[in-house]
Amino acid sequence: MVSDVAQKFADDGFAVVGEVISPDELEVYRDIYDRLLSGEIESGDKRSDLGSHVPRKEGVVENITQIMWPSALHPPLRDLPLHAKALSVARELIGADAELDFDMMIHKAPHTGVATPWHQDAAYWVDMPDRRAVSIWVALDDTDLDNGCMWYVRGSHQQPLRPHRPTSDGKNIECDCSEDESGATPVPMRAGGAAAHSGTTLHYSRGNTTNGLRRAYILNYRPAAMIKLERERGADHGLNENVRQVRNSDAAKD
């Protein structure tokens, strides 16, 4: 029997999963997240400005901080409850062969106000014969319209992939869409909650115009055979020797 969440994911291309981090666990995740943001846990070349298509504001380190592979940079993350819970959700939504492909942090600091452009994740990826994929977007802070909750376009996963173009800095991509598009849906959530979306679901988020933080942790899953094929084609989402060097350096300090 298909669960309500799985049915909504299949029909809409996204679904609210519910709580995946308990209130007691939140501070543990926030502490690791903040140590990565502050540089206490080194991230090397895995850190970038996802909002570099917009001029950087005075006093802001990045418009939108993105750190790829936090679980490789700080392996204890994998032993905390979220990875097991997210894997269970992913297997419910796309199949029992789902495995973690990569993870990332996306942080919007107070008053940065930079939107993440509309896009479909699959437009970044190499072509796969099996396109099943799910991203589980986890809120470490309460999210709403003003600090950058996620927006999804209902049913967009059932349409052809839209043409994408590079953002003005040439580092990321975007496509034509807006909050006025039919099916565009904001998804505010409480800290510890998560939403899941497919690789072809249109999504975006506004900038953070509030005094508070908007910390998000995203875990991405696809079939194990497709991960193997990706790696054979050289697509590892930034997991390379530099990550291992940073990880080993971090371990040596401990």
Side-chain angles (χ1 to χ4, degrees), residues 8 11-14 118 150-157 159 162 177-187 201-204:
K8 192 153 186 68
D11 292 344
D12 295 344
F14 68 94
W118 285 99
M150 290 292 284
W151 286 70
Y152 304 104
V153 176
R154 185 179 295 108
S156 55
H157 67 305
Q159 302 169 4
R162 295 199 180 179
C177 191
S178 77
E179 294 179 5
D180 296 326
E181 178 143 346
S182 176
T185 307
V187 182
T201 301
L202 281 159
H203 59 284
Y204 120 113

Side-chain angles (χ1 to χ4, degrees), residues 75-155:
L77 266 173
R78 288 205 180 215
D79 297 326
L80 295 173
L82 175 59
H83 275 73
K85 291 179 182 178
L87 178 60
S88 178
V89 171
R91 288 178 172 175
E92 177 186 357
L93 298 182
I94 66 169
D97 56 347
E99 294 290 348
L100 180 70
D101 189 8
F102 65 99
D103 58 353
M104 61 182 168
M105 295 165 35
I106 298 181
H107 173 244
K108 296 192 174 186
H111 301 293
T112 42
V114 176
T116 302
W118 285 99
H119 66 284
Q120 294 158 291
D121 293 336
Y124 278 105
W125 301 339
V126 296
D127 192 30
M128 294 277 108
D130 183 342
R131 298 187 179 185
R132 284 178 293 149
V134 58
S135 296
I136 300 178
W137 195 99
V138 183
L140 297 189
D141 302 288
D142 293 348
T143 64
D144 56 28
L145 291 172
D146 295 326
N147 73 351
C149 71
M150 290 292 284
W151 286 70
Y152 304 104
V153 176
R154 185 179 295 108

